[in-house]
Every structure is written in structure tokens, then in C-alpha cells.
Amino acid sequence: MNNVYKITAVILAAGEGKRMYSKLPKVLHKICGVTMVEHVINCAKEIGCEEPVVVIGHGAEQVRETIKDVKFVMQEPQLGTGHAVMQAGEYIGDNDILVLYGDTPLVSADKISEMYQFHKAGNYGATVLTADLENPSGYGRIIRNHIGLIESIVEDKDADQEVKKVKEINSGMYFFKGTELKEALKKLTNNNAQGEYYLTDALQILKAEGHEIAAFKTNDPTEIMGVNNKLQLSEAAKIMQSRILKSHMLSGVTIIDANNTYVDKTVKIARDVTIYPGCILEGSTMIDEDCIIGPNTTIINSILNKNVTAKNSVILDNEIGESTTIGPFAYLRPGNVIGRNAKIGDFVEMKNSNFGDNSKASHLAYIGDADVGDNVNLGCGVVFVNYDGKKKYKSIVEDDCFVGCNVNLVAPITVKRGSYVAAGTTLTKDVPEDSLSIGRVRQENKEGWMKNK
Ligand code: UD1
Ligand code: CA
């Protein structure tokens, strides 16, 4: 949105959220990897509010610790939505004021931006985001006048039978003229069924002063959906998830089964990536072009460069080079940097290791705290013995080495460039360059032994 106008966003997030039955403050529950209140903050930022004002109360300390780049104001005790906005008074001035709720995470910047244009075009004192709901109970009802402007908003608890039939509800999201709102807030009282300071009364005050109050109705009720319990949390997550996947698909990602793919809002995926069913991509994960992910693969906070294949694997805090293949059934624990064209095959576990270009660990290996160079082959059953029961040590296998099957590398140890370690060897000292190292009991065949037994 072009920023000729200035908007200050006030996000209400002081409520308790009893029905979540959780130790965590309600607005810190996550949807697709991002807390509900951050979804709302991001929406405000997207339309140009640099530092939204967040009104906190219940669980304030935890919210403060988790959320960055906003201004906080405290509301203690919580005496209603009007009272909440009053707490943000010091930030309410000439700017237009946008009020959002911290527990309404599906609101989109596109919708709010459209609403703002409508608000400005009509020069309204306030504009209310509304929706028609099949079941409007619990919400404030919108009463319109003969030209469609808002006559009043009646809270469910204050409504009579006639008003309860109205299907158009107040979402709780508004634009206000700043200076006018500031004046109106001074006049709020708590004369109502709940003994609360209603923000909706500010609309009534503005109207009495001759301002027009408009309704901007969305035809997508998911935009205004509030989350009050874990069932709604899961419903909201489902809607958010389908929006996220849709946007990836529309920018060139192939998703085989969108009902069975879970991608955090924070994940980046380039075009021509294919994602098979059962995948979970979380955190700061970035997947570059032409990667093939899944089926059944979990990737958290990892970077996959171009053309990586990762099947049936778990990948946590890793960086994986171009054209490398992972799995099926690999477990890449945190801290690996894996090179290009490498292969990490079935039942390989790796952690805190570097693994060079064109190197392979094709099956059944444990690679821990290791530095493995380029063009290294680790045979089946290779184990980096990195732990002596007290401390962990590092192993180095330099470029062009071949480590045979069932070799144990007892760390700390270095296998120098170009060496060959025979199958079954337990290495306890360094191997010089270009050597053959063999350390196992020589085989003895006792002929006829079975017959004579
Ligand atoms: C409010 C509206 C109602 C609307 C509904 C939409 C008023 C008087 N009523 O209902 O018309 O249909 O929202 O959901 O405004 N909050 C605070 N401090 C408070 C009270 C609330 O921060 O003292 C926050 C809550 O955390 C929540 C939001 O404001 O995010 C809405 O509070 P809630 O109590 O659910 O709204 P109602 O007053 O019932
Ligand atoms: Ca209430």
C-alpha cells in the first residue's frame, strides 16, 4: 500500500483465553509455526504499520519475551475492549487507527488494505469489518440504517430477540480517525450488561458527533475467525495451511497431496520443487529449485540447495549441498554441513559433522562429530566412536579415503588423505596418507574341525 497516509495499529491481546486450558498465554499459541499474535502483527506491518502497539495483560511477561519489534502497553485489570484501547492512548494521535485482535490470526493484509481504501474513500469516522455468519451468537450485531451505514452495534448479551436474529456481526476490527477516537475514548462508560468499557460505544459517540460509521463486509468469514479453544486453533491452522500451500503451488511448487503436507508460514520453497505426501517443513527451512522431498520427510530449520532428494528422512538444522541424495530413512541431527553430490543412504545417522562433495555413506552408519572430506566412501556399518562415556571427540577423514565395512573410528583420530581402511578394523590411532590400515584378528581355518568334534 502506498504510504501517503499513516496508520497506527493497536492489537488487543490482554484477554485470558481460559478455554484454551493451557499454561501458555492464548496469543502465543502457534499456527503454522508462527504465534497467533505475530500473524496479526505481520498483517499490520504488511499494510505499513511499522511498530504496532500490542495491548497485553494476561501472561504479559511471556508475551514480552516472545514478541519483538512492537510497542507494548499493559492493561491490568482487563475491563473490556474500550478499556484496552484506552491503554494505548499515548500512541493515538493524528494517524488513522487500526484495531485488530491478537486471537484473530487469519485476517489478511489484502482484506485490511481493501477496507482501508473503503474507509478513506468514504471519509468515515470509523469503519467496522463485518461478516454474515450462519451462527452469529456471541458476537455483537450490526444494525444498519436505511442507507446502509451503521446505526449501532448491539452486544449479544445486551440484545433482544429481534436483534439476535441479525446475522451480520462485528469482527472487532476497525479503522478510526485517530484524533476523533482519542476524544471518544475519554467519554466511554461501563454502563452495560457486562460492566465493561465497550469499544463499540466509541462508535456510538462518534456517530452522535456527526461522523458516519460504515460497515465493510467480508464474504470470507475465515478472515475474522477468532480462536478461543484448541479445536478452533486446529481449524484455523488448517485454513492457514491451505492458504500457505496454495501460494506455494501458485508459484510453481508441486504438492502431490495438499491434505497431507504441512509447511510453516516461515518456510521458503523455490519453483519446481516436488513434495510427496507426509512431509513436515518447519522453521527457517529453505528448499531450492528441483528438490524432491518425501514421502514422509520432516525438515526443520534446514537449507536444501538445488536438486536435493530427501526421502523418508528427518533433517534438523542441516545444510545440504546441490544434487545430494538423502535417505530413505536417514536421520540428520543438528549441525551437519553436507556437500554437493553426496549420498546419505538408508539408516545413516549423522550429527554435528561436515561431509564433503561426492562422498558417500550409503547404508547403516553413525557419523558423529566428524569432518569427512571429499570423495570419501564410508562402507556399510561404519561407526564414528565419538563418545567415551564422559566426553565427545572429533574425527577427521580426509579427501579420497575409503573406509571399509564395519570400521570403528575411535575418536579423536585422523585418517589422512587417500588411505584405505580394511573392513572390520577398529582404528585407535591416526592413519598416514595413502596407506592401507588393517587392524583385525587374522582369520584361521581349522580344517576338518567339525567332523572331529
Ligand atoms: C467484542 C465486541 C463484539 C464483537 C467481538 C468479536 C466489544 C464490546 N464487543 O466482543 O462486538 O462481535 O469482539 O470477537 O468490543 N481484550 C483485551 N482486553 C479486554 C477485553 C478484551 O485485550 O479487557 C481482547 C481479547 O484478548 C480479545 C479481544 O480483545 O483478543 C476481544 O475480546 P472478547 O472478550 O473476546 O470480545 P467481546 O467483548 O466479547
Ligand atoms: Ca468479553
Side-chain angles (χ1 to χ4, degrees), residues 64-328:
R64 263 182 218 279
E65 279 164 25
T66 314
I67 308 300
K68 302 282 167 267
D69 302 323
V70 296
K71 299 188 189 91
F72 288 111
V73 296
M74 271 300 279
Q75 187 200 15
E76 185 59 60
Q78 289 85 35
L79 303 177
T81 49
H83 182 254
V85 176
M86 284 177 198
Q87 311 311 305
E90 60 181 299
Y91 298 111
I92 298 177
D94 296 341
N95 281 4
D96 292 311
I97 301 296
L98 166 62
V99 175
L100 300 172
Y101 289 172
D103 58 1
T104 311
L106 296 175
V107 60
S108 72
D110 284 351
K111 188 59 71 185
I112 295 299
S113 170
E114 253 179 75
M115 173 178 165
Y116 189 56
Q117 271 149 32
F118 172 88
H119 174 70
K120 291 309 267 189
N123 190 28
Y124 301 116
T127 299
V128 182
L129 182 62
T130 72
D132 287 331
L133 293 191
E134 260 326 295
N135 175 12
S137 73
Y139 287 95
R141 305 300 204 287
I142 303 292
I143 312 298
R144 297 205 191 211
N145 69 15
H146 62 287
I147 54 165
L149 290 170
I150 292 186
E151 185 60 33
S152 62
I153 298 180
V154 184
E155 288 308 296
D156 192 65
K157 290 193 175 96
D158 300 313
D160 60 27
Q161 284 317 312
E162 268 320 291
V163 169
K164 283 198 172 173
K165 284 184 199 151
V166 173
K167 295 228 181 290
E168 187 178 7
I169 61 96
N170 171 22
S171 69
M173 295 179 243
Y174 318 84
F175 275 106
F176 287 96
K177 286 184 170 167
T179 13
E180 283 76 356
L181 173 64
K182 200 173 176 85
E183 288 311 306
L185 288 173
K186 291 180 186 156
K187 299 176 188 158
L188 288 189
T189 63
N190 59 353
N191 256 326
N192 51 56
Q194 303 189 84
E196 285 182 1
Y197 293 89
Y198 288 172
L199 183 56
T200 45
D201 286 351
L203 301 169
Q204 226 55 48
I205 294 166
L206 290 177
K207 194 172 150 279
E209 285 167 355
H211 294 282
E212 290 184 330
I213 312 300
F216 181 77
K217 196 197 279 186
T218 169
N219 53 12
D220 177 3
T222 68
E223 290 264 351
I224 58 130
M225 179 184 164
V227 170
N228 294 308
N229 56 42
K230 297 244 172 135
L231 174 62
Q232 290 169 339
L233 185 73
S234 131
E235 287 164 350
K238 196 163 181 185
I239 294 163
M240 177 73 74
Q241 187 62 91
S242 94
R243 286 189 197 167
I244 293 170
L245 296 179
K246 189 169 161 190
S247 106
H248 285 301
M249 290 186 278
L250 292 177
S251 44
V253 177
T254 303
I255 295 175
I256 304 296
D257 181 1
N259 289 321
N260 199 5
T261 301
Y262 304 86
V263 177
D264 276 359
K265 179 90 184 190
T266 44
V267 169
K268 298 198 168 63
I269 310 175
R271 63 182 177 168
D272 293 319
V273 167
T274 301
I275 304 177
Y276 282 90
C279 291
I280 301 173
L281 311 184
E282 291 185 355
S284 58
T285 293
M286 292 200 276
I287 314 274
D288 208 344
E289 287 182 18
D290 301 315
C291 286
I292 299 175
I293 312 296
N296 302 322
T297 294
T298 299
I299 305 178
I300 300 177
N301 300 331
S302 294
I303 297 172
L304 273 60
N305 288 294
K306 287 194 178 118
N307 198 37
V308 167
T309 300
K311 289 182 182 164
N312 300 79
S313 293
V314 175
I315 302 173
L316 317 171
D317 298 289
N318 271 240
E319 179 169 354
I320 299 172
E322 218 173 298
S323 301
T324 285
T325 68
I326 307 294

Side-chain angles (χ1 to χ4, degrees), residues 363-367 378-384 403-409:
H363 7 241
L364 298 163
Y366 173 66
I367 303 158
L378 302 180
C380 182
V382 166
V383 172
F384 284 73
V403 181
C405 291
N406 266 333
V407 167
N408 297 313
L409 295 98

